[in-house]
Amino acid sequence: MKRRDFFRSTAFIGLASIFSTDKIKAIASSEMALATTPDMVAVMGGEPDEMLDQAIKELGGIKQFVKKGQKVVIKPNIGWDRVPELAGNTNPKLIKKLTELCLDAGAKEVLVFDHTCDNWQKAYKNSGIQDAVEAAGGKMVPGNDQSMYREHDFPQGKRLKKALVHQAILDCDVWFNVPVLKNHGGSKMTISMKNLMGIVWDRQYFHANDLHQCIADSCTIDKKPALNIVDAYRIVKTNGPQGRSASDVALLKTLLVSPDFVAVDTAAVKFFNQVQPQKLEDVKYIFNGQDMKIGTANLDAINIKRIKI
């Protein structure tokens, strides 16, 4: 797709606005930049599975991340007993496709879990994720019992020095972080960095010890996700993180993918701001993460590939 056609699309105005004019010109004038693997892929206009296909292709294909015989974990947001239309959880079509891609790449097994807020069995089932994963050949594992977690050190953390981390993360070969983009009362936004609260047992520690700093600290984990895949097909724009009704949901048909926690969350907040006002500076964990060199909030410094389906 030609760049001039890309920016003629009014549907992409919000997404394009997260990148500066100078950056767009720099990319357009550099054939070398176009030939390199992007640091982030932003896809808009398709269904969750086809957008993921496009993003993974731009990043070199799933075999860049998953090798034959590996044990893979997918960590969506499945915190709430909500149907997919209410966007409280990651879209099941996205998780199904990612499970299929991993197995097609030769993964030995694909495990999917979350430490849910609502009853885990209801959340797994009513989110549609359990059925989607099982249909794709993956396996759901619970996260509701402390015995499933092991103590893990976070030596680079400022407030979070150790935590009980789910054994699925500690024992896997590779994992994918797949949050849904949502408003949040406490942290302002829940995206890829905050989604790591679902891999630890004691989330109350975060809330009692500087939530934003603990979120950033959790992202210093030595086994980082291969990719952060932000589901913005449907988002919760108000009354997050659960949402109360369909009026809290916006249909945006967008996917943001990057190995960089900070960059993808920065892009997601700027994109969200086109629908519902949200100051980037209020999402403090993003800048805490940048200060700790977890990633960059400077989107002009990275190569971003934008695709419209």
Side-chain angles (χ1 to χ4, degrees):
M1 185 176 185
K2 295 181 179 179
R3 289 184 181 278
R4 61 177 178 271
D5 295 330
F6 178 96
F7 289 106
R8 282 172 182 165
S9 171
T10 56
F12 249 87
I13 289 174
L15 190 58
S17 69
I18 69 175
F19 313 123
S20 72
T21 301
D22 289 343
K23 177 64 176 176
I24 293 168
K25 289 179 179 178
I27 294 174
S29 64
S30 173
E31 292 298 325
M32 183 178 295
L34 292 174
T36 60
T37 301
D39 301 302
M40 185 189 304
V41 180
V43 191
M44 189 177 193
E47 290 302 299
D49 49 355
E50 62 180 336
M51 289 193 294
L52 181 63
D53 257 339
Q54 288 287 327
I56 295 297
K57 180 180 178 181
E58 293 294 336
L59 292 165
I62 192 65
K63 290 185 179 180
Q64 294 293 321
F65 308 101
V66 177
K67 308 304 180 186
K68 186 176 181 180
Q70 287 189 327
K71 183 176 181 179
V72 178
V73 168
I74 298 172
K75 166 56 179 75
N77 188 322
I78 330 175
W80 308 101
D81 179 9
R82 294 288 188 274
V83 296
E85 291 74 18
L86 293 178
N89 306 297
T90 306
N91 193 289
K93 290 183 180 179
L94 180 61
I95 301 304
K96 181 180 181 181
K97 185 61 179 181
L98 182 56
T99 302
E100 291 172 343
L101 288 173
C102 292
L103 290 170
D104 288 346
K108 179 180 179 180
E109 62 179 348
V110 177
L111 306 179
V112 180
F113 86 96
D114 193 10
H115 183 190
T116 66
C117 299
D118 285 343
N119 177 276
W120 71 277
Q121 292 169 312
K122 291 181 178 179
Y124 278 19
K125 186 67 176 178
N126 293 332
S127 67
I129 291 177
Q130 179 175 328
D131 288 345
V133 169
E134 292 175 351
K139 180 182 178 182
M140 299 296 299
V141 294
N144 66 312
D145 193 288
Q146 187 173 340
S147 66
M148 302 166 184
Y149 297 75
R150 301 200 306 266
E151 188 172 280
H152 191 73
D153 292 331
F154 291 80
Q156 298 177 57
K158 294 182 178 181
R159 300 301 296 271
L160 183 73
K161 294 293 186 179
K162 61 178 57 183
L164 294 176
V165 175
H166 198 287
Q167 61 192 7
I169 296 292
L170 299 178
D171 295 339
C172 73
D173 296 303
V174 61
W175 70 284
F176 296 91
N177 184 29
V178 195
V180 58
L181 178 59
K182 298 188 294 182
N183 162 255
H184 192 281
S187 61
K188 304 303 180 183
M189 298 292 299
T190 173
I191 327 173
S192 69
M193 294 177 72
K194 189 179 179 301
N195 200 43
L196 265 66
M197 285 182 71
I199 72 172
V200 303
W201 175 251
D202 185 8
R203 293 176 299 214
Q204 291 306 310
Y205 180 88
F206 284 63
H207 291 282
N209 291 275
D210 189 342
L211 175 61
H212 287 270
Q213 185 59 56
C214 284
I215 290 171
D217 289 347
S218 71
C219 296
T220 66
I221 189 169
D222 49 6
K223 184 183 284 185
K224 291 179 173 56
L227 291 173
N228 301 289
I229 302 171
V230 178
D231 170 23
Y233 184 81
R234 294 185 187 91
I235 70 164
V236 176
K237 58 187 177 68
T238 47
N239 295 314
Q242 298 184 57
R244 297 174 184 170
S245 68
S247 63
D248 294 319
V249 178
L251 179 65
L252 302 182
K253 292 191 174 184
T254 299
L255 191 72
L256 302 170
V257 184
S258 176
D260 187 323
F261 284 115
V262 178
V264 79
D265 282 6
T266 300
V269 174
K270 290 189 173 186
F271 179 51
F272 181 92
N273 192 49
Q274 309 303 312
V275 178
Q276 186 73 20
Q278 174 58 64
K279 294 180 180 178
L280 180 62
E281 57 266 32
D282 289 341
V283 189
K284 297 177 183 178
Y285 61 77
I286 288 177
F287 297 99
N288 290 347
Q290 179 172 248
D291 290 343
M292 298 172 75
K293 302 188 185 306
I294 294 168
T296 181
N298 181 8
L299 299 183
D300 291 340
I302 64 174
N303 179 11
I304 303 170
K305 174 74 174 183
R306 292 167 299 277
I307 302 168
K308 183 187 176 187
I309 295 178

